[in-house]
Amino acid sequence: MQQHSIDTPYIAGEVHCYSMETDGEIILFDSGPPTPAAQRYFQEHMDLERLRHVIITHCHIDHYGLASWLQENSPAQIWLPYRDSLKITRHGEWLDGLGDLLGSLGFSPAYVKQFRDSMDEGTIFPRVPEEYRILEESDLPARLGFEVLLCPGHSQSDLVYVGSDWAVTGDTLLQGIFQSPLLDVDLESGGRFHNYHAYSETIGKLATLRGKEIYPGHRTRISGVDDTILFYVSKLLERARRLLPLMDRPSVVAIIEELFGSTLKDPFHKYLKASEVVFMQDFLQEPEPLRRALENSGLLEPVAAEFASLFESSGPSPKASQCFTETDTAEDILFTPVQIGTMEIPNRICMPAMHMNMCRNYQVTDALVAFYSERSKGGAGLICVGYATVDELSGNPGNIGAHDDRYVEGLRRLALAIQEHGARSAVQINHAGRYNHSMLLGGKKPVAPSPVASRLTGETPRELSAQEIQDIVGRFASSAARIREAGFDAVEILAGTGYLISEFLSPLTNQRQDEYGGSLENRMRFGLEVVRAVKEATGNAYPVMVRLNGNDFMPGGIGRRDLQTFALALEAVGVDAICVNVGWHEAQVPQIVTKVPRGAFAYLAREIRTLVGIPVIASHRINDPATARRLLGQGMCDMVAMGRALIADPWLPRKAATGREREIIHCVACGQGCFDNLFKMKSVECLCNPEAGHELETMLEPAETPRRVLVAGGGPAGMSAALAAGRRGHRVLLCEKGSRLGGQLLLAGAPPGREEFVQLAKDLAHQLSRQRVEVHLNREVDEELLKAQRPDVLIVATGAQPVLPKIAGAEKPHVVQAWDVLCGKAQAGRRVVIIGGGAVGIETALLLAESGTLSAEELKFLLAHRAEEPAELLRMATRGEKDITIVEATDKLGRNFGKTTRWTMLQDLQRFGIRTLTQTNVEQIEEASVRVSGSSGSQLLAADTVVLAVGSRSVRGLQTLASQQHIACHVVGDAHEPAMVIDAVHQGFAAGRKV
């Protein structure tokens, strides 16, 4: 390692940077100040033609001031810390946040402006290199043989580079200099960066550098790691003692003025002192993190007396005193272990079994293994796969097979893939009963307790004989034994959702007169026999779980009280845990769609949990850690099932565990990729996550040559494209002509109960800020911008615009577009006619229908106080002040909804009293009415407002401009062809991945 010492005009004096050679190429750690003398130094002392990498420790002028010059005068690639890249790509947002933070500390608006101006002028942060890469997102350190440690010291972005016997520490570890960490904004969380806590963690990391040669950013070499850390700590204690009497002052500014008077003129020096004061305040309020870091590093004893005297003499706050007598052991309940039988699970997150349709002839495929491996890497505590078949009538070839020994090897491979990353593994076994299709059974009839037709399939099953029932019980047992043989940690039996066991439980589908029908005891017999047989086949120590409906939501069905009785019976025969789901597939209560509130059905888990003494898992619409913690904290359950939430973001658990919840991509409960695909005989995909189900084919490899990519449009397609291109290392600029990112997601999220789509827009926007994506709002891409930017690739995601139909009177002032109603630009009168009964028309109708209805809060109050009869409250909750009619030319409403969502939307049209006319044409729009004609002739519909929802057409004029300027171009989303959101997201991702 060669040291380069360069004079600077700054207080710290001479700066050191370091270089090493590998395979004839030079790697430089840090650079130097942007001065002519520094430039001359490198010209004279370094072979710039062999300089390949400039690696920055943190973004200050004396660390990377010459980076741009080195980039222009050598073939070097510039590497920045991730947190610095955020300040660069979100510079305005960062300065705004820092300004707000300084204002909250008592600094005047004039000072904040002065400070901001000094930052913008580059006196602290230099000109950014045009091309750079993020070090933490690359494999460069591994290739060059060093480790990267995030060690916030002077800056939140400080990186320390550690080789086998050396470490480059920048400003994190300096000989004889104490620098308190700088006050800063955490762009990931949106709040203040808690530098004191980060600094305490850094001490523990620095202690691991003992015995290595230390290369600091200033002054002399480090004489010893321990001595240097103790020097820092002694200075910290000394300054804390000095500041302690001033801690009751009204603001940080007041403290600074009392200490320094008017001697601090330079805005940056004031900022430095503010940083120190805030740092000391945090320490004095909560000394335990630093004390614990020193103790764990073996460095507490030399300063223990100073610690004690500081707090004993000062009469610290109760919180500070408590820190020295009792360590804060508060835990995140979501990440505490839980026991199911003999199986300990590391956290409370369970990924429940869901049909993926990824198997081929019942065999586990590479795609299925890759899918679940990614969810295990993401941190789920328990992953249950399935369901798996118990015989050839129980499922179809797309299911996981467990009914024959030839499937054991595939099962074993799947178990290992899940367990490899720390998750526990289970398989759900099931028999579909009357929910199976004869076309999937080679023409054989499905079987059931009784020959009661299925609304789901339209088929009438064959009744099972008593002997056949016993045979199926045995096949459940043998399938469970194979699952244990394959190495899974547990087995789950599906006893709900309208499948065979629940068909025996329900009087709707069990009309038998033998020992398996009639009384509840008889109807429970089959399910209990299955559990006993499975326990006998796997051994009493092997965990057995049951997934059970809390309520079947079937009029005349078994209901929740009898299901609770069944839960008690399951516990009595040895079941180790119960996972509570809701509803049969043919139930008319929505269970999984967006309109279902988060955690709405947890009450059913709670009711069972109060009765049994085994763990209970709550299910359905738990898609974020806050909801999960709430349910656990309120005693609703012992674990939470997060199924589609982990399809959308497999890394949700790890993000939640590491304080990165803003990075989570939330499931919107649309069903477009997970459920609707199954009806199309396709494997599971995801609207929110284009990689889900495609883990083997969508790997985003770093681009060999980073390119300049311009994305026009900030809707779902544009954001997805920008993210994919950014992850590959391209320099991406996204321009959105509006003031918000989201596009059609914002319209889809406008009706009540559809807010998850707006959340997805926020999630994707946050992801853009994490990637190397520069975002310009209120900026439309045009010919001038194309010429100025000269991108290598243009991705056109400019969406569509609503169609203006050729209807007489369509130009009248009371005629508005549905998009304008959804985004709040247009208001509607009392009598509304909506022309067009597709998704947009229905969503607009439901939005307008809410006007004048009781809110959820009002309804709860009135119901709790019995102010009105329940039937009257229901009417007031679903009947507003508007009279709404939808006119549709075809014979079917909501054609462009997914199958999972469509029936619930049509149900709501009826519930809210919205009139619908199909196979009806609009002839003319008049002043206060609309003339229509259909099978019953012509009629006038009264209308104060007419809303147009007749479709949209693509906007892709930029494609022609790109061709004229010879720019490679991809057209995605509605700009390519108006379709569903899932199509836009997947097309955008594919385009970004191809660049």
Side-chain angles (χ1 to χ4, degrees), residues 102-120:
L102 290 170
S104 71
L105 299 177
F107 284 101
S108 68
Y111 166 80
V112 172
K113 182 179 185 305
Q114 185 185 21
F115 177 77
R116 279 198 53 152
D117 290 345
S118 71
M119 290 290 195
D120 274 336

Side-chain angles (χ1 to χ4, degrees), residues 511-689:
Q511 299 173 2
R512 301 176 71 93
Q513 302 300 313
D514 60 7
E515 68 270 30
Y516 290 102
S519 68
L520 176 61
E521 180 182 2
N522 283 356
R523 287 183 278 117
M524 293 193 303
R525 189 183 309 279
F526 173 64
L528 297 177
E529 286 181 352
V530 166
V531 172
R532 290 192 190 98
V534 166
K535 293 289 288 185
E536 184 177 349
T538 58
N540 282 331
Y542 189 68
V544 174
M545 305 185 298
V546 170
R547 187 157 165 89
L548 173 71
N549 281 152
N551 193 330
D552 60 353
F553 293 144
M554 296 289 289
I558 185 171
R560 76 181 200 277
R561 295 303 180 201
D562 283 353
L563 285 165
Q564 290 164 14
T565 300
F566 185 50
L568 285 166
L570 291 171
E571 181 184 27
V573 296
V575 166
D576 296 291
I578 294 174
C579 183
V580 181
N581 71 349
V582 298
W584 283 22
H585 287 316
E586 56 194 298
Q588 293 300 294
V589 177
Q591 302 154 38
I592 60 170
V593 295
T594 308
K595 65 184 286 186
V596 177
R598 293 179 179 181
F601 298 119
Y603 74 96
L604 294 168
R606 179 187 59 193
E607 290 184 340
I608 289 176
R609 187 172 185 263
T610 60
L611 298 173
V612 301
I614 55 178
V616 173
I617 306 170
S619 304
H620 290 269
R621 289 287 287 123
I622 305 170
N623 72 338
D624 74 315
T627 302
R629 291 189 186 99
R630 173 174 62 82
L631 300 182
L632 291 165
Q634 292 175 349
M636 310 288 269
C637 55
D638 300 285
M639 291 187 74
V640 290
M642 303 180 89
R644 292 180 300 157
L646 298 191
I647 297 178
D649 191 341
W651 289 80
L652 181 154
R654 289 216 191 280
K655 290 175 181 178
T658 54
R660 295 154 50 215
E661 293 186 21
R662 287 191 69 205
E663 297 177 25
I664 291 170
I665 299 290
H666 294 82
C667 166
V668 299
C670 64
Q672 290 182 25
C674 46
F675 277 86
D676 291 350
N677 268 19
L678 299 179
F679 292 116
K680 302 171 188 175
M681 306 304 291
K682 294 171 62 177
S683 59
V684 162
E685 296 175 309
C686 181
L687 178 152
C688 307
N689 178 7

